[in-house]
């Protein structure tokens, strides 16, 4: 049984594909009000290439009693630990917890809460967004890398992902993937918020982007992530070109008045630099500007 904690964009994308492949899935929703709204909606809707299907997947709240052996955590990074704490006592002794959160920091918070469970980290380039509650659009095909920094053995359920058509790969170095994605996000997303622009408009700020990439590369090297540092600036420029017409996820969050994952991206990078006693200038200054920007709009800055 796949228990899926959080029925937002990625949670729905995973739950619907697993369920339509005939695999047993149960959603864990925040509270009984949200469960009632879900039941009223009649299931999760997924729109793909203009076609919408509804999947009446079983749902429960955290206080249900069914034991959990495989938990997919599909909350935002800032909600992951609290959400997992609510179901921790239901985890069986051999439980596996799959963490879909972007950035770094939330994975360690969850792992500390559930030391008995195997925690598997994921980094995904799939794209999905919520149209309405329980109605999600699959906006961008992508790939998901999965790995366990403590144990390189692949879990036995990767066949379920294959069966469900979820493009994936088991990697012995998931931390390198997560660090690289964090660095890309730190080089692009805050600047798009501060300049209120699409990714492509960052072409107008080449020295700002280059200076950030330089400091992010220094940080990755100091943190023992040499392969994540290699060619960072070139890849950032490629991503800016390839996604020139898009607004970054952080820009979309700020535009829509939603909390950002700053603490698990730029905040994590700045804390890591501090721990490494690395005297960086650009990254902390960028964080300060972003924090002010968020505070001025009444948004959480952590
Ligand atoms: P989302 O906001 O759409 O969904 C999160 C869901 O978690 C919400 O439905 C929320 O109600 C639920 N939730 C929060 N606390 C809960 C609790 N205690 N119990 C039960 N449910 C709870 O977020 P998302 O876009 O799916 O993103 C999830 C993670 O995946 C983020 O870290 C994001 O950066 C990452 N990610 C998202 C995408 C994407 O395209 N959406 C792509 C790659 C990575
Ligand atoms: O992942 C992204 C995001 O918007 O969060 C990209 C497109 C890579 C920009 O950082």
């Amino acid at each position: 049984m796949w228990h899926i904690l959080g029925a937002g964009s990625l949670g729905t994308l995973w739950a619907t594909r697993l369920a339509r492949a005939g695999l047993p899935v149960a959603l864990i929703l925040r509270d009984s009000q949200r469960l009632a709204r879900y039941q009223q909606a009649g299931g999760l809707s997924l729109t793909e290439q203009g076609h919408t299907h509804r999947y009446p997947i079983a749902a429960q709240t955290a206080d249900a009693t069914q034991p959990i052996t495989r938990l997919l955590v599909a909350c935002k990074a800032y909600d992951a630990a609290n959400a997992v704490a609510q179901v921790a006592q239901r985890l069986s002794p051999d439980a596996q917890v799959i963490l879909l959160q972007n950035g770094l920091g939330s994975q360690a918070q969850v792992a500390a809460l559930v030391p008995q469970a195997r925690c598997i980290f994921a980094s995904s380039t799939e794209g999905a967004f919520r149209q309405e509650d329980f109605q999600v659009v699959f906006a961008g095909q992508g790939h998901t890398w999965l790995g366990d920094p403590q144990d390189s053995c692949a879990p036995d359920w990767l066949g379920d992902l294959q069966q469900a058509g979820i493009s994936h790969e088991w990697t012995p170095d998931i931390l390198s993937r997560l660090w690289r994605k964090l660095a890309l996000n730190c080089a692009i997303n805050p600047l798009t918020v501060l300049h209120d622009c699409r990714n492509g408009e960052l072409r107008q700020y080449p020295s700002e982007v280059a200076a950030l990439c330089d400091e992010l590369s220094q940080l990755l090297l100091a943190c023992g992530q040499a392969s994540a540092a290699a060619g960072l600036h070139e890849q950032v420029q490629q991503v800016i070109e390839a996604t020139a017409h898009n607004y970054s996820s952080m820009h979309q969050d700020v535009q829509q008045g939603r909390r950002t994952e700053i603490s698990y991206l730029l905040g994590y990078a700045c804390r890591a630099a501090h721990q490494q006693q690395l005297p960086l200038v650009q990254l902390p200054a960028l964080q300060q500007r972003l924090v002010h920007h968020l505070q001025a709009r009444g948004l959480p800055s952590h």
Side-chain angles (χ1 to χ4, degrees), residues 102 181 184-186 188-189 199 239 243 246-250:
N102 199 15
K181 178 95 191 311
L184 286 167
N185 287 161
C186 287
I188 297 174
N189 299 11
N199 293 352
V239 171
T243 62
N246 299 355
Y247 284 108
S248 74
S249 55
M250 190 179 270

Side-chain angles (χ1 to χ4, degrees), residues 36-91:
R37 282 210 303 278
Y38 173 75
Q39 278 155 351
Q40 230 170 10
L44 293 177
S45 291
L46 182 69
T47 302
E48 264 176 296
Q49 291 160 351
H51 299 286
T52 302
H53 290 281
R54 192 188 292 161
Y55 302 86
I57 295 168
Q60 55 190 236
T61 52
D63 54 10
T65 53
Q66 188 184 42
I68 299 171
T69 54
R70 193 178 306 143
L71 180 69
L72 182 76
V73 183
C75 307
K76 294 284 196 187
Y78 48 76
D79 281 329
N82 280 341
V84 170
Q86 289 179 309
V87 295
Q89 76 290 351
R90 291 176 56 190
L91 293 177

